């Protein structure tokens, strides 16, 4: 065990991309400390309720004037340039597509959008306040063709808004960026050697040999990179209308097609027609931002590699942080189901269906 009481990292897990943010203990500010911080730095009197989070610490803020916010305390291992990258990205979206349903940043009393803080354990962190977006999380509602199309449309708008955004933190090494999927190998010991586990290993080997070498030729830009069903809010009275896109913590400069594949991977566990669900979302995206034939031809493998990434990272982190296992594993079950179903479909069949959906076949 390490001095922090966590399992020691193996020699391979000491790779900086593994041993840094993914291996860092999240901040642990008390509710009283957070309430005082909010009043002192932002001038907001409120009642706070902690919200589950994997790497950072978040509080739902119910202000005395009736407004609602999120207080976000970043992971101390997160580089300042990375935090600023997320902050500037959100501000950039607001300037370039102000009607997009994304959180708005709230400035401190001094007019800053992020503020440093020293935690009780001596570590340094950054705090931000964002507006709270109303709605029902997508994972709580039935997935329909209308919401599939809405996901594709809103993701394309976010990508379009970010198209010309650049920042020193954009090229960060992020394990959730599936360009780096080969670096998952040190974590495979956490994945059981069952049918899904064997498929995970086979898909990773195929990806490294036949897909990864082709990624450099694809379009690259800053993207959201995590449009999972916990990060999309919908109107309770009209679940085809998206009211919020949240959590820009995995934003990164990577292949544009990867952003599409990430969102598609969360539709790939559809119990009846996974390929149809994925195709409808991608077709809607294509209507806003046309995808290139080469991007669509690799889409199946990018979707499956996101599933591989979700399964591998969550099972490794759940072993490392069992006290937060339920939250960490929230997307593990759907990813496993999609690996057993969608990933088992014929590769050429999937490719042909996606090309047809986008009018390229």
């Amino acid at each position: 065990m390490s001095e922090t009481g966590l399992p020691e990292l193996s020699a391979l897990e000491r790779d900086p991309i593994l041993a840094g943010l993914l291996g860092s203990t999240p901040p642990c500010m008390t509710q009283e400390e957070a309430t005082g911080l909010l009043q002192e730095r932002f001038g907001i009197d409120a009642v706070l309720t902690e919200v589950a989070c994997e790497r950072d610490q978040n509080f739902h803020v119910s202000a005395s004037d009736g407004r609602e916010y999120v207080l976000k305390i970043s992971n101390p291992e997160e580089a300042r340039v990375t935090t600023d990258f997320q902050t500037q990205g959100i501000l950039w979206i607001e300037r370039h597509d102000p009607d997009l349903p994304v959180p708005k940043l709230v400035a401190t009393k001094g007019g800053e959008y992020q503020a440093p803080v020293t935690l009780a354990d001596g570590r340094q962190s950054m705090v931000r306040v964002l507006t709270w977006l109303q709605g029902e999380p997508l994972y709580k509602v039935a997935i329909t063709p209308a919401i599939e199309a809405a996901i594709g449309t809103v993701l394309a708008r976010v990508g379009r808004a970010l198209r010309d955004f650049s920042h020193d933190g954009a090229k960060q090494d992020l394990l959730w960026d599936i360009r780096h999927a080969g670096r998952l190998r040190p974590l495979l010991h956490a994945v059981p050697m069952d049918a899904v586990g064997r498929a995970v290993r086979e898909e990773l080997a195929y990806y490294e040999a036949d897909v990864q070498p082709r990624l450099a030729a694809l379009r690259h830009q800053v993207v959201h990179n995590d449009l999972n069903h916990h990060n999309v809010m919908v109107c309770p009275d009209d679940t085809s209308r998206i009211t919020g896109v949240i959590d820009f913590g995995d934003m990164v400069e990577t292949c544009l097609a990867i952003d599409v594949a990430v969102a598609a991977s969360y539709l790939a566990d559809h119990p009846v027609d996974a390929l149809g669900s994925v195709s409808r979302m991608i077709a809607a995206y294509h209507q806003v931002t046309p995808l290139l034939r080469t991007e669509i031809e690799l889409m199946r493998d990018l979707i499956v590699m996101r599933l591989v990434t979700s399964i591998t990272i969550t099972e490794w982190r759940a072993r490392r942080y069992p006290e937060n296992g339920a939250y960490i594993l929230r997307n593990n079950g759907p990813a496993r189901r999609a690996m057993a179903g969608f990933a088992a479909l014929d590769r050429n069949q999937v490719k042909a269906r996606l090309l047809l959906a986008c009018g390229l076949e």
Side-chain angles (χ1 to χ4, degrees), residues 111-182:
E112 299 170 331
Y113 289 110
Q114 53 194 35
V117 64
T118 301
L119 303 176
D121 60 10
R123 296 184 299 164
Q124 301 292 311
S125 187
M126 296 292 286
V127 297
R128 288 167 292 177
V129 171
L130 302 97
T131 54
W132 179 268
L133 298 181
Q134 299 293 338
E136 190 79 1
L138 182 57
Y139 75 91
K140 291 186 176 182
V141 306
I143 300 299
T144 64
I147 191 59
E148 291 160 355
I151 291 168
T153 299
V154 78
L155 181 65
R157 286 181 61 193
V158 172
R160 185 174 61 188
L162 288 169
R163 186 170 299 158
D164 297 319
F165 175 55
S166 62
H167 191 280
D168 289 344
K171 297 182 185 296
Q172 62 174 316
D173 264 350
L174 185 69
L175 192 61
W176 281 102
D177 177 3
I178 61 175
R179 288 181 306 159
H180 303 300

Side-chain angles (χ1 to χ4, degrees), residues 186-237:
L187 311 185
L188 286 177
H189 64 84
V191 181
M193 190 59 84
D194 53 11
V196 167
R198 288 191 292 273
V200 161
R201 290 163 173 84
E202 290 168 3
E203 290 287 352
L204 182 56
Y206 178 86
Y207 181 86
E208 289 180 287
D210 294 293
V211 180
Q212 207 159 7
R214 302 170 63 185
L215 299 184
L218 301 184
R219 290 182 291 179
H220 286 64
Q221 68 163 75
V222 173
V223 298
H224 182 277
N225 194 45
D226 193 20
L227 203 67
N228 70 64
H229 292 183
H230 290 76
N231 290 341
V232 177
M233 312 297 290
V234 297
C235 176
D237 299 325

Side-chain angles (χ1 to χ4, degrees), residues 16-322:
I17 200 173
L18 300 176
L21 192 56
L22 282 173
S24 172
T25 305
C28 189
M29 189 175 287
T30 67
Q31 193 170 20
E32 183 179 9
E33 290 169 337
T35 301
L37 171 69
L38 193 63
Q39 168 59 45
E40 178 186 349
R41 300 289 186 92
F42 295 88
I44 298 175
D45 292 307
V47 175
L48 274 61
T49 305
E50 188 163 4
V51 179
C53 187
E54 184 176 355
R55 298 187 311 235
D56 305 323
Q57 186 179 23
N58 292 339
F59 288 93
H60 176 210
V61 176
S62 299
S64 56
D65 62 3
R67 286 183 280 190
E68 296 177 85
Y69 306 96
V70 176
L71 172 64
K72 179 175 284 291
I73 305 158
S74 65
N75 193 296
E77 288 290 334
E78 183 170 272
R80 295 294 176 264
V81 69
T82 300
T83 309
D84 188 65
F85 165 54
Q86 297 164 16
T87 298
Q88 297 305 322
I90 293 171
L91 293 171
W92 181 278
I93 291 172
E94 184 177 358
R95 291 194 296 271
H96 288 81
D97 191 344
D99 293 330
L100 267 173
V102 301
K104 305 296 189 290
L105 284 153
V106 178
T108 65
K109 290 179 179 179
E112 299 170 331
Y113 289 110
Q114 53 194 35
V117 64
T118 301
L119 303 176
D121 60 10
R123 296 184 299 164
Q124 301 292 311
S125 187
M126 296 292 286
V127 297
R128 288 167 292 177
V129 171
L130 302 97
T131 54
W132 179 268
L133 298 181
Q134 299 293 338
E136 190 79 1
L138 182 57
Y139 75 91
K140 291 186 176 182
V141 306
I143 300 299
T144 64
I147 191 59
E148 291 160 355
I151 291 168
T153 299
V154 78
L155 181 65
R157 286 181 61 193
V158 172
R160 185 174 61 188
L162 288 169
R163 186 170 299 158
D164 297 319
F165 175 55
S166 62
H167 191 280
D168 289 344
K171 297 182 185 296
Q172 62 174 316
D173 264 350
L174 185 69
L175 192 61
W176 281 102
D177 177 3
I178 61 175
R179 288 181 306 159
H180 303 300
R183 299 176 83 168
L184 293 170
R185 287 201 169 276
L187 311 185
L188 286 177
H189 64 84
V191 181
M193 190 59 84
D194 53 11
V196 167
R198 288 191 292 273
V200 161
R201 290 163 173 84
E202 290 168 3
E203 290 287 352
L204 182 56
Y206 178 86
Y207 181 86
E208 289 180 287
D210 294 293
V211 180
Q212 207 159 7
R214 302 170 63 185
L215 299 184
L218 301 184
R219 290 182 291 179
H220 286 64
Q221 68 163 75
V222 173
V223 298
H224 182 277
N225 194 45
D226 193 20
L227 203 67
N228 70 64
H229 292 183
H230 290 76
N231 290 341
V232 177
M233 312 297 290
V234 297
C235 176
D237 299 325
D238 178 9
T239 57
S240 68
R241 184 166 69 87
I242 293 175
T243 60
V245 173
I246 63 174
D247 194 351
F248 285 76
D250 282 345
M251 189 169 62
V252 69
E253 182 178 318
T254 189
C255 305
L256 182 65
I258 284 177
D259 199 33
V260 184
V262 168
S265 73
Y266 294 98
L267 296 170
D269 75 323
H270 193 289
V272 178
D273 185 16
L275 184 51
S277 183
V278 166
S279 297
R280 286 186 287 272
M281 189 283 286
I282 292 175
Y285 184 100
H286 184 74
Q287 289 298 309
V288 178
T289 299
L291 293 162
L292 304 178
R293 187 181 187 91
T294 51
E295 292 169 327
I296 298 172
E297 287 175 342
L298 291 177
M299 193 62 68
R300 179 269 176 200
D301 296 313
L302 295 176
I303 293 170
V304 172
M305 196 46 45
R306 175 63 178 206
L307 300 174
V308 168
T309 300
S310 294
I311 292 167
T312 304
I313 292 178
T314 57
E315 296 203 10
W316 177 68
R317 279 189 62 80
R319 286 194 182 191
R320 187 165 176 78
Y321 299 105

Side-chain angles (χ1 to χ4, degrees), residues 322-334:
E323 72 283 357
N324 199 27
Y327 180 80
I328 292 170
L329 292 171
R330 67 196 186 283
N331 288 320
N332 184 276

